[in-house]
Amino acid sequence: MDFMRHVYATDRWFTFPKFQETAEFLHRTMGGIGIENVELLGAPADGVSQVGFWTEPMAWDAKSARLEILDPAVPSADRILADYEKIPTSLGMWSGPTPPDGILADVVEVHGADAAAIAKRSLHGKFVLTDDNPAGFKWALVKAGAVGAINAFTENPDLRDGRQWINAWGDNGWALTKGSTPMLSFSISPRQAALLRKLLAEHGNVRLKATVDTRYYAGVYPYVTGVIPGTGPEEVLTLGHAFEQGAEDNATGVAAMLESLATLRRLIADGKLPLPRRSIRILIMGEMYGSMHYVATHPDRIRQTIAAMCMDTPAASYSLAGTEYTFYMNPHVAKSYTDAFVLRVAEEYFSKVGRPWHSHPFMSGTDTYLAEPTVNVPTVWPYSGSGVHTHHNSEDTPDRVDPRSLRDIAAVNASYLYYLANAAEPEAMWLAELSQTRGYDQILQTTAPFVDQVPAVNDAESLGRLLSDALDHVTYSVDRESQAVLSVQRLVPKEKREDTTKALAPLIEELRRFGDEQKERVRRAVQRRTTEVGLSTPVKPVEAHGAQAAEAAKIVVRRKRFGTVPLDDLPPDQWQGYPSGAWAGVPTAALYWCDGHRNLAEVIRLTQMELGPTDFDFVGYFRFLRAHGYVDFLKE
C-alpha cells in the first residue's frame, strides 16, 4: 500500500516532470528492496521517433489551469469548472496553453461523435461541450476551428463529481506528436455538465474564460528495470505501466510487482528459496510506448525472456460485483503453456482465500502484445477492475484500493515468476500435461455449440454447412492446443529438445484422437437429425468460399516491424474508414497471423476461427497498409 501511495502521489499529475519523479522513486525503491542491476532508462519523448509503428509522444508539463463561467448570476462556488491544482484530471493531458491573461469563448454543445460531420461544422472560436470522448475526434474539432473541448463523457455517470481523465490528445491517435495541434482540453463532472446545459437552455449562450499554463518540449519518457539474478542467461518478466492518474489503474500494478519481487528477494536472502535458474526481471514503464522502446532496444534480453506477466489494474475491492480476477490469455497465434499454468496458480491460490476468478481470451490494447510472434514472449494478464467503475476517473483514489487484493495479486505474480524461473525438464513435462488437460476442455468447448445447434436445423444444405464449420473448428482447436503443449520446449535446453519432442508426441497424438472423437460426435448428431427430418440423401460437408477468398489466396503479407499499426502518423481522414490497429481486435489478430508464409485467405480463416465471423474488409485493409508502407506483399 505504501508503494501504491507513493506512485499515485506523483503520477496523479500526469506530467512528464512528475513521471520522472515517479521513475526516480522506483529506481531508489528497487535498489532498496534488493533488486540488482537497476537501470533508469528512457524513450525519446520528442513526438517524432518511432518504435515499431508507434510514434513516441511529445513531453508535456502543466503548471496551472482554470476554466470558469463568467455569468455573475451563477453562484461563485459553481463558476469554477476546472482547476488543475485542485483536481488534476479537470485538465486533459497534452492540453495546449492560453496567453497569460487567458482567452474568452462561448460554449456550444456537439451531440454524437461523427467526426466527418463535426469537421464540416463551423466551430471557430468556440468551446465544444461533448458527451463523447473528444480524443476520438480531436482532428475534426481542429478542422472545425474549435478552441478547445469540454469533456462531459464519463464511463460512470453515477460518479456525479468524478471527472474522466482525457489521456489522449493527438490529432492522429493516442499521444500528442510533433505535428499535432495544441488545442485546449478540459474535463468536467456530470454535475457540472448538467449545470452548463441548464445555462445553455435558459440563455442560449454561455461565456467561459480559460487560463492554462502548459508547454510541450522534447524530453524523455522514463522507464525503470532491474532483476533478481538467476544462475543462467534466461529471464522471466513482470511488467506494468506507471504514469497514469489512478491508484487502481495503475499504481496498484506497480505496487504489486514491487512487493512480489521484494518478497522473493527476501526469501532468497533468508535461504528459504534457492537462487532461480533464470533471472526475474521487473519493467515499469509508460504503457505501450515504454515497453515497445524496451523491446526494440534490448533484443538480446527479449530473446532470452521465456514468459511474462502484465500487471494492469489488478487490485480492486473484494466486496463489489465485477472485481473478480480475470486472467487474459495469449492470442491464439501464440497459444502457450502459460495460459494453463496461470490458471492453475489462480486455482491453487484463490481457492484458499475464497475469491472468484475467471479466464478470458486475449484482448489487445495493453502490453500483452509481447506474446505476438515477432516479439515471442508468452504473456498473461490478471485484471480485477475497480468495482464501482472508476477507470480513468478522478475517483480512482488510494482509499478505494483493497490491501487484500494487493496481497493476492502479489502472491500470484511471485508464484508464477518463481516457478517458471526454475522450470527445467521435469517441470516442462508437467506443464505440458497441464496444457493437454486444458486442451481437452478447449476442444470440448469448441465442439459443444455445434452439437447444440443440430436439432434446430431442418435442411440438408444447412446441416452440411454446420458440419463443415464444426469439423474446421475442431481441427483448428486441436492445432492450437497442440501448440500450447509443444510450447514447453522453450523451457528445455536446446541439446535436450529432441528428446522432449519425442516425449511430447504421445500427448499431441492423444489430443488429435480426442479431436477425431469430437468430430465423430458431430457427425453422429448430424446423421440423427438427417433421419429425424426425413432427408433422402446423406449430408456431406460443404466447402465454404468467402467473398474475399480467391483474391486473398494470391496475397502473402510480410510485416515490416513488430507490434501493431496505430496509424498515428496518418491523418484519420486518410484512414479510408479502417480502424486504428492500436486497439481494434480483428485487424490486430489478422496482423499477428501474417508470418510471410501464409496467404491472406489462410490469415482470414484463422482470424475468424479465433474471433468469429466478421464482414471486415481484410483485402482492402492490407492493401491500404501496403499503400502507406506499413506492410509488404511478397506475392500477389
Side-chain angles (χ1 to χ4, degrees), residues 548 551 578 586 604 614-623:
Q548 304 181 72
E551 187 177 3
Y578 296 112
V586 171
I604 295 170
T614 175
D615 58 1
F616 185 74
D617 179 10
F618 292 91
V619 172
Y621 175 70
F622 280 100
R623 287 195 184 284

Side-chain angles (χ1 to χ4, degrees), residues 504-550:
L504 294 174
L507 278 66
I508 302 302
E509 177 59 22
E510 287 161 4
L511 281 174
R512 186 195 62 77
R513 285 202 301 268
F514 186 74
D516 288 344
E517 291 169 5
Q518 297 310 304
K519 290 178 181 178
E520 187 57 33
R521 179 184 167 204
V522 179
R523 289 190 183 97
R524 288 195 302 269
V526 168
Q527 187 57 50
R528 284 196 303 270
R529 186 60 181 165
T530 300
T531 302
E532 290 168 0
V533 298
L535 296 176
S536 57
T537 57
V539 171
K540 295 181 180 180
V542 176
E543 187 175 351
H545 295 284
Q548 304 181 72

Side-chain angles (χ1 to χ4, degrees), residues 390-470:
T390 60
H391 177 252
H392 284 190
N393 195 286
S394 57
E395 296 292 307
D396 183 0
T397 51
D399 57 293
R400 294 185 184 271
V401 174
D402 194 323
R404 295 170 296 178
S405 291
L406 275 179
R407 173 201 66 198
D408 290 353
I409 202 58
V412 168
N413 188 46
S415 302
Y416 175 91
L417 295 169
Y418 187 79
Y419 188 91
L420 295 183
N422 268 324
E425 297 95 308
E427 290 79 17
M429 290 307 300
W430 177 76
L431 289 166
E433 296 275 1
L434 197 65
S435 297
Q436 185 198 42
T437 299
R438 183 169 188 264
Y440 289 139
D441 181 64
Q442 295 291 291
I443 295 167
L444 276 175
Q445 289 186 37
T446 297
T447 309
F450 292 103
V451 175
D452 292 343
Q453 291 171 41
V454 170
V457 181
N458 298 312
D459 63 278
E461 182 177 354
S462 297
L463 280 171
R465 292 193 182 282
L466 187 149
L467 178 59
S468 296
D469 207 14

